[in-house]
Amino acid sequence: MLKTFLWASVTVALVSSAAFAASETHAVSDEIIAQQRAALAVATDGMGYGPQSPRDINALGGANHRSFSMAPAASNMALCDIHFHENAEHKGGQFTTFAGNGDGHGYGTGFKYDGELTDAERAPVGMAIGAGEHGDLEPGDTIEIHFVHSSAQATLGNGLGTCLSDATGNPQLRVEAVVAVLVSEGGADFTDMAEIKQINGFNQVPNLPADLGDPVLYAGSTTGPGYNEKGSPFQVTWSVRPEVVKLNILSVDAWLKDNPFDEDHAHGVRNLVTNPDLLSQIN
């Protein structure tokens, strides 16, 4: 046990150091990603972690038997957070084009829209949108939007903490996931899609698209690159739409400049979870 712990600690340190160095120059190697996955396997082995996310929604198999009840429909839960990741965290449906290994910290990786856009849809808009230390958004970019819901008496705000409550020790969490490709001409209005209304006492987003195929429902976890080398302890019911919506990039800019979640940029992507011991069976 001690040898395993020491090996895992050294591996994580080496991976983090190598990834940091690579992030300043170019994408990390396949070996670094493999080492991150190995560190995740060691950190979760025998620890009782439940199924993890993100995953390939086209692959139904999984060997993680840590079960929990699927969350109620989003209409019976409270919206508590909206954020998005640059490139899709999940793989499948119309987003299977791998973006590359990225910098080892979740940027420059994930999955892209498989389809084609017109020159007009890809035309530059002449302004920086969602600019941060990892760049900005441009027409043609893919994003995965997470509409997070909770069974707790949740509030609207930045991060998962708004979805939890001291009064509810084990709230159920549900994420409605929408993958979008950003276009400079046409496309849906993100401010409409993300409009929040009070319905039956719950904060709701009633304008989520209903024409992106049957959502894939599965048991998983929270995501983000902070979990590349450790397990997420949060149990999440995922509802991932397999088709991609075109979103007007200027409407995304408008939302980033005025939203109750203090979101102003796209988040990084967790490595796709491929270890069967960390995946649930999709029914």
Side-chain angles (χ1 to χ4, degrees), residues 137-158:
L137 296 170
E138 299 177 349
D141 285 345
T142 299
I143 61 174
E144 180 172 320
I145 312 158
H146 293 165
F147 299 86
V148 189
H149 297 74
S150 174
S151 63
Q153 186 171 308
T155 57
L156 298 177
N158 183 265

Side-chain angles (χ1 to χ4, degrees), residues 171-272:
Q172 290 179 292
L173 300 173
R174 181 186 183 101
V175 178
E176 296 290 327
V178 175
V179 177
V181 61
L182 305 181
V183 296
S184 51
E185 179 180 84
D189 187 324
F190 186 49
T191 60
D192 287 343
M193 183 187 297
E195 182 182 11
I196 300 167
K197 293 183 178 180
Q198 275 270 331
I199 301 175
N200 297 325
F202 295 122
N203 285 319
Q204 295 275 291
V205 274
N207 299 329
L208 289 181
D211 57 351
L212 301 180
D214 292 333
V216 176
L217 274 129
Y218 79 93
S221 70
T222 52
T223 62
Y227 292 113
N228 277 347
E229 298 163 15
K230 65 180 182 180
S232 166
F234 295 99
Q235 298 175 334
V236 178
T237 296
W238 282 88
S239 175
V240 184
R241 290 152 180 79
E243 297 177 17
V244 172
V245 62
K246 292 180 179 179
L247 272 185
N248 189 283
I249 193 169
L250 295 181
S251 72
V252 174
D253 178 63
W255 184 84
L256 287 172
K257 290 176 177 175
D258 183 20
N259 66 82
F261 309 101
D262 295 326
E263 293 288 336
D264 60 9
H265 67 283
H267 295 259
V269 169
R270 186 186 189 183
N271 292 338
L272 195 73

Side-chain angles (χ1 to χ4, degrees), residues 150-171:
S150 174
S151 63
Q153 186 171 308
T155 57
L156 298 177
N158 183 265
L160 185 63
T162 61
C163 303
L164 309 176
S165 167
D166 290 339
T168 306
N170 60 338

Side-chain angles (χ1 to χ4, degrees), residues 11-181:
T11 299
V12 170
L14 288 174
V15 169
S16 298
S17 175
F20 178 78
S23 69
E24 298 180 342
T25 54
H26 52 75
V28 299
S29 66
D30 291 346
E31 182 181 6
I32 293 297
I33 303 301
Q35 289 175 345
Q36 289 182 331
R37 288 196 167 114
L40 175 63
V42 170
T44 55
D45 184 35
M47 298 298 292
Y49 281 94
Q52 300 290 295
S53 301
R55 65 176 295 161
D56 183 341
I57 58 171
N58 290 343
L60 306 184
N64 188 291
H65 302 299
R66 184 71 58 187
S67 63
F68 58 91
S69 298
M70 298 297 272
S75 58
N76 294 320
M77 304 180 75
L79 176 81
C80 51
D81 181 62
I82 300 174
H83 65 272
F84 58 80
H85 302 255
E86 185 169 4
N87 296 323
E89 289 199 292
H90 287 86
K91 175 186 179 183
Q94 295 180 333
F95 38 96
T96 63
T97 302
F98 186 46
N101 289 338
D103 65 357
H105 299 289
Y107 293 93
T109 189
F111 295 88
K112 294 178 174 290
Y113 172 51
D114 299 328
E116 299 292 332
L117 299 178
T118 67
D119 289 343
E121 289 173 326
R122 284 187 171 276
V125 292
M127 58 187 292
I129 294 175
E133 60 179 308
H134 299 284
D136 57 6
L137 296 170
E138 299 177 349
D141 285 345
T142 299
I143 61 174
E144 180 172 320
I145 312 158
H146 293 165
F147 299 86
V148 189
H149 297 74
S150 174
S151 63
Q153 186 171 308
T155 57
L156 298 177
N158 183 265
L160 185 63
T162 61
C163 303
L164 309 176
S165 167
D166 290 339
T168 306
N170 60 338
Q172 290 179 292
L173 300 173
R174 181 186 183 101
V175 178
E176 296 290 327
V178 175
V179 177
V181 61

